[in-house]
Each structure stands twice: as C-alpha cells, then as structure tokens.
Amino acid sequence: FRNILNKLFKQEMTMILLKIDKDIINAMKEKNTSLVNSLRYAKSLLQENTKSDKKREEVDVLLSYKKTLEKSLEAFKDHPEELAKIKYDIDVLQAYLPKQMTEDEVMSIILEIKESKGITEFSQLMKESMSSLKGKADGKLVTSIVKGVLDKK
C-alpha cells in the first residue's frame, strides 16, 4: 500500500512540471513573453531540485520561490516596473500552488487536531498542524492560530 502511495505521490509531483511545460508551449504560441519567462524560471527551479542532493516536493520549491518574491515586493516598492513584474510572477505561481485555506478553515483543522490528539504543547500542535496544512496555509497564520488556541485552554 505504501509503495502505491509513493508512486502516486511521485506522479503527482511531476504533474506540476508537466503542466508548466504545457503552459510554456501555449504561452510561446500566444507570444506571451512575460508568461514564458515566468514559467521558464519556475521550471528551472524545479529541474534544479530534481538534481539536488536534498530533494524537496515541487510545491515546496514553488512556495519557497513565492515567499522570496513576496519579500522582494518591499525592496522594489520604489521601482514600479520591477514591482509589476514581481506581482505578475506571484500571480503566475498561484496557478501551480494549492488553494490557500481561509483563517476559519485553518482554525477548525487546528482545533480538530488539538481535540482529537489531546495536544497541549505548542511544539507538538505546530508539528501536527503544519504536517496537515503544508502548502495549504501560510506558516505565520498557523503559528498565530496555534498560539491563540493554546492560550484559550
């Protein structure tokens, strides 16, 4: 059973790369150079990851790149052209990332984890919550909700 899950998981991981490849071809046909450039860079990050000694999930690679872009927004606030490009790249990446959960959805999952496992320690609840919410919710949001849930006891 575990082997089947691993095979499915590995197939799912490559689905992002295949989708990006297909979208690059379509963007080239449409002569959309901005989209082609954004997708090519994302593809290069994913390809570098496959050759790395410390391989990560494709979603993690893209999430990491998105966070880097979001940090760049502040640095380029005085450069409108660069800012627009960064925002565009973030929008492009969103199509390949899981839909982010709302604060209420995250809260309900964290409460369910806390109650079902009887967790009272921050580190345990964070570990369980992040494993369930990885890629689906921002880590800062999860941290703040976990703190709030544990403070209410």
Side-chain angles (χ1 to χ4, degrees):
F1 182 71
R2 187 174 289 249
N3 289 339
I4 294 169
L5 283 177
N6 284 339
K7 286 179 184 175
L8 287 173
F9 183 67
K10 287 179 181 174
Q11 286 176 343
E12 184 179 307
M13 284 176 38
T14 59
M15 292 303 291
I16 294 174
L17 198 52
L18 292 173
K19 184 174 177 1
I20 288 175
D21 275 338
K22 188 173 121 183
D23 291 346
I24 287 172
I25 291 168
N26 290 334
M28 290 172 82
K29 287 178 183 176
E30 295 169 5
K31 297 183 179 8
N32 186 342
T33 55
S34 298
L35 182 57
V36 169
N37 291 337
S38 294
L39 292 174
R40 279 186 176 161
Y41 188 73
K43 180 181 176 181
S44 73
L45 291 173
L46 294 171
Q47 288 175 328
E48 283 176 26
N49 181 56
T50 60
K51 297 171 186 169
S52 171
D53 292 338
K54 297 180 181 179
K55 291 182 181 137
R56 300 182 299 163
E57 294 177 34
E58 287 183 328
V59 171
D60 290 341
V61 173
L62 295 180
L63 279 171
S64 171
Y65 177 46
K66 181 183 171 211
K67 284 184 181 182
T68 302
L69 289 172
E70 287 170 342
K71 288 178 185 175
S72 299
L73 288 173
E74 183 65 29
F76 288 99
K77 65 182 178 188
D78 296 332
H79 305 283
E81 284 182 24
E82 281 297 315
L83 197 61
K85 184 187 178 320
I86 293 168
K87 286 180 180 177
Y88 180 79
D89 288 347
I90 291 171
D91 290 341
V92 168
L93 276 180
Q94 284 300 135
Y96 304 94
L97 295 171
K99 182 180 173 276
Q100 295 292 295
M101 298 176 87
T102 65
E103 189 171 339
D104 291 337
E105 292 170 327
V106 173
M107 173 73 86
S108 66
I109 289 174
I110 291 173
L111 285 172
E112 184 181 321
I113 291 169
K114 180 183 182 277
E115 291 169 14
S116 68
K117 299 191 179 192
I119 298 173
T120 57
E121 291 183 24
F122 176 79
S123 60
Q124 281 183 306
L125 188 52
M126 273 302 293
K127 181 179 177 184
E128 293 291 327
S129 298
M130 286 307 292
S131 69
S132 295
L133 298 167
K134 189 173 192 170
K136 300 175 191 168
D138 182 58
K140 290 178 184 177
L141 175 63
V142 174
T143 302
S144 70
I145 292 174
V146 166
K147 284 180 182 176
V149 165
L150 291 174
D151 287 344
K152 289 182 183 175
K153 288 185 183 179

